[in-house]
């Protein structure tokens, strides 16, 4: 995770992962791990009225949302910075869900209630499976926009809809307020139609497979890089992974299930789901669930990352608007339990295609929308977001300790130097007595 203060949540994130998927038999919904919210998230309580809406600061927040409920959150925005407000709704595994009916809407509005852009309304497509769904609404600054360009008060509005026959429990939600700096000079234009191929290339077929460590959420996602990765997943479970994608690069992905080892082969709809999210947790197209027929493969092929993609009317292209960590969400429907009584072997074929290109000139540094050598190293080594944060926290502690040690050494050296200088000014130590009297012959003229 890359939000400044999030790296500090380090060691606690590692300690809290107690359930290791694939180590036991079929897990019940009650024992499957739920969505792990960020350790440094701030708990807030949205209100039904703008008048007393709680203020959101940049960073992560948690709340809950009941069916039919609408909540307001207040934000103060400037006139130069793009603001992204993502929401993750994460009903517990086993919650009763109605596809296409259970959904939420997130919107950004000005003080008069006018929307600042297109609302996001993610819904479920997993055959009644409960899994995390997410997307964002934005307040974007640009010459192509007229609404919501001024500095001042704004509101994030979160609304949940759903069927009366679905689960009655409140959904835990995680809200992320992320800022994108302004561009120096003119913003890059939208790429010309036909400037990149839409033909899906073959999936990776590397002979070497590496072990991935999927997480339960965006906050503890396992890092992966180009290559073939394996993991274990339980029926009813969702696993998160992340991969750094730089400017000009695109993703070719495949998530696969093996054939059944029970000897049975029955066609199952909506068995395996694959969703892709950008660094601001915006959905890159719809989540796609595929059928199981003695095997399954869910695939995604994205547009190249380009700042100008934000001007494209196609959601799947528009979301590929900045570099950074992209997230893969893989869900295994509980209806596969008869075939995978001890969990399933999951294969991830990850292909980050094309060479990185120079990105836009941001007016100020933006770690969230860039790819660093440390990011690439974390992906190559398969470190989870939690492990990466722990490592960053440890390195910072070592750095501070080193600074402290250096200060002590320099202070000691300064004292030693001062004493030496004073001793030299007073003459050789062997020729002085405590009273200051000299021994030996009298000094000459």
């Amino acid at each position: 995770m890359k939000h400044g203060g999030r790296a500090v949540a380090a060691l606690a994130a590692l300690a809290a992962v107690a359930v290791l998927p694939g180590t036991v038999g079929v897990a019940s919904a009650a024992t499957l791990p739920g969505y792990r919210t960020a350790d440094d998230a701030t708990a807030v309580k949205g209100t039904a009225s703008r008048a007393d809406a709680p203020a959101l600061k940049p960073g992560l927040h948690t709340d809950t949302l009941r069916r039919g409920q609408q909540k307001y959150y207040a934000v103060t925005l400037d006139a130069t910075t793009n603001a992204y407000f993502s929401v993750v709704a994460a009903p517990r595994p086993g919650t009763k869900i109605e596809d296409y009916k259970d959904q939420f809407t997130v919107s950004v509005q000005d003080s008069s209630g006018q929307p600042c852009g297109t609302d996001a309304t993610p819904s479920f497509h997993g055959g009644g499976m409960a899994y995390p769904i997410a997307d964002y609404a934005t307040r974007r600054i640009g010459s192509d926009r007229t609404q919501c360009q001024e500095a001042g008060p704004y509101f994030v509005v979160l609304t949940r809809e759903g069927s009366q026959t679905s689960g009655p429990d409140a959904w835990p939600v995680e809200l992320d307020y992320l800022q994108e700096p302004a561009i120096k000079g003119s913003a890059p234009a939208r790429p010309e139609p036909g400037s990149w191929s839409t033909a899906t290339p073959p999936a990776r077929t590397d002979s070497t497979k590496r072990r991935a460590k999927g997480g339960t959420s965006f906050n503890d996602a396992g890092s992966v890089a180009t290559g073939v990765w394996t993991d274990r997943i339980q029926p009813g479970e969702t696993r998160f992974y992340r991969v750094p994608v730089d400017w000009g690069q695109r993703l070719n992905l495949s998530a696969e299930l093996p054939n059944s080892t029970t000897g049975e082969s029955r066609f199952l709809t909506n068995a395996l789901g694959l969703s892709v999210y950008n660094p601001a947790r915006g959905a890159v197209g719809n989540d796609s669930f595929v059928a199981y027929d003695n095997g399954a493969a869910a695939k995604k092929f994205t547009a190249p990352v380009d700042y100008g993609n934000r001007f494209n009317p196609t959601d799947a292209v528009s979301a590929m608007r900045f570099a950074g960590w992209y997230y893969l969400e893989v869900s295994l429907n509980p209806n596969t339990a008869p075939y995978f009584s001890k969990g399933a072997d999951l294969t991830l074929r990850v292909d980050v295609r094309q060479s990185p290109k120079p990105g836009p000139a941001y007016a100020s540094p933006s770690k969230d929308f860039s790819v660093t050598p440390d990011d690439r190293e974390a992906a190559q080594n398969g470190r989870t977001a939690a492990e990466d944060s722990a490592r960053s926290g440890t390195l910072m502690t070592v750095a501070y300790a080193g600074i402290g040690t250096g200060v002590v050494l320099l202070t000691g050296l300064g004292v030693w130097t001062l004493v030496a200088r004073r001793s030299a000014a007073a003459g050789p130590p062997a020729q002085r007595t405590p009273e200051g009297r000299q021994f030996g012959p009298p000094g000459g003229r």
Side-chain angles (χ1 to χ4, degrees), residues 329-370:
E329 179 186 12
V330 181
S331 300
L332 182 59
N333 198 303
N335 68 7
T336 61
Y339 302 133
F340 302 110
S341 61
K342 295 182 179 179
D345 288 319
L346 174 67
T347 299
L348 287 175
R349 302 184 187 275
V350 180
D351 195 2
V352 182
R353 300 178 68 85
Q354 302 177 191
S355 299
K357 295 180 179 179
Y362 281 121
S364 59
S366 178
K367 293 182 179 179
D368 295 291
F369 304 126
S370 64

Side-chain angles (χ1 to χ4, degrees), residues 196-286:
W196 44 271
S197 173
T198 58
T200 303
R204 300 280 307 190
T205 57
D206 304 41
S207 56
T208 300
K209 295 183 178 181
R210 289 182 283 175
R211 190 71 175 176
K213 294 178 285 188
T216 66
S217 70
F218 291 96
N219 307 300
D220 60 357
S223 302
V224 293
T226 292
V228 180
W229 301 77
T230 62
D231 201 359
R232 296 281 291 175
I233 188 169
Q234 295 279 356
E237 187 182 15
T238 295
R239 308 285 277 162
F240 281 80
Y241 308 87
R242 62 179 192 163
V243 54
V245 186
D246 215 336
W247 300 103
Q249 295 186 311
R250 61 197 309 191
L251 279 171
N252 185 34
L253 304 167
S254 180
E256 301 170 7
L257 292 177
N259 61 295
S260 171
T261 58
T262 64
E264 301 179 37
S265 179
R266 183 164 61 90
F267 183 84
L268 298 174
T269 60
N270 302 307
L272 181 67
L274 174 62
S275 304
V276 178
Y277 295 94
N278 68 22
R281 302 183 176 186
V284 182
N286 292 326

Side-chain angles (χ1 to χ4, degrees), residues 412-424:
L413 181 61
V415 171
W416 179 84
T417 303
L418 181 61
V419 171
R421 286 176 178 173
R422 288 180 175 176
S423 297

Side-chain angles (χ1 to χ4, degrees), residues 81-311:
T81 306
N82 296 325
Y84 292 83
F85 302 94
S86 74
V87 176
V88 183
R92 283 285 312 174
T95 300
K96 187 177 180 182
I97 293 296
E98 294 284 346
D99 282 7
Y100 303 98
K101 295 181 180 179
D102 281 314
Q103 59 186 21
F104 70 85
T105 298
V106 57
S107 174
V108 182
Q109 301 176 0
D110 64 17
S111 56
S112 64
Q114 293 299 309
C116 295
T118 305
D119 297 347
T121 307
S123 59
F124 296 90
H125 307 104
M129 177 183 178
Y131 59 95
I133 56 174
D135 210 346
Y136 59 45
T138 70
R139 192 295 299 264
R140 183 168 65 78
I141 297 294
S143 58
D144 61 319
R145 311 298 284 265
T146 57
Q147 194 75 19
C148 304
Q149 300 296 287
E150 301 82 14
Y154 290 85
F155 296 91
V156 178
V157 188
L158 184 56
T159 309
R160 176 181 162 186
E161 305 168 35
S163 168
Q164 292 297 320
T165 60
S166 60
D169 293 343
W171 292 346
V173 294
E174 185 173 61
L175 301 91
D176 191 11
Y177 171 9
L178 189 59
Q179 296 174 315
E180 182 188 28
I183 293 291
K184 294 179 181 178
S186 300
R190 169 185 166 184
E192 290 294 327
S195 59
W196 44 271
S197 173
T198 58
T200 303
R204 300 280 307 190
T205 57
D206 304 41
S207 56
T208 300
K209 295 183 178 181
R210 289 182 283 175
R211 190 71 175 176
K213 294 178 285 188
T216 66
S217 70
F218 291 96
N219 307 300
D220 60 357
S223 302
V224 293
T226 292
V228 180
W229 301 77
T230 62
D231 201 359
R232 296 281 291 175
I233 188 169
Q234 295 279 356
E237 187 182 15
T238 295
R239 308 285 277 162
F240 281 80
Y241 308 87
R242 62 179 192 163
V243 54
V245 186
D246 215 336
W247 300 103
Q249 295 186 311
R250 61 197 309 191
L251 279 171
N252 185 34
L253 304 167
S254 180
E256 301 170 7
L257 292 177
N259 61 295
S260 171
T261 58
T262 64
E264 301 179 37
S265 179
R266 183 164 61 90
F267 183 84
L268 298 174
T269 60
N270 302 307
L272 181 67
L274 174 62
S275 304
V276 178
Y277 295 94
N278 68 22
R281 302 183 176 186
V284 182
N286 292 326
D287 50 7
S288 69
F289 275 76
V290 297
Y292 179 81
D293 190 7
N294 207 29
K299 299 181 179 181
K300 290 277 189 178
F301 184 45
T302 73
V305 174
D306 192 294
Y307 187 92
N309 283 343
R310 64 194 61 207
F311 309 119

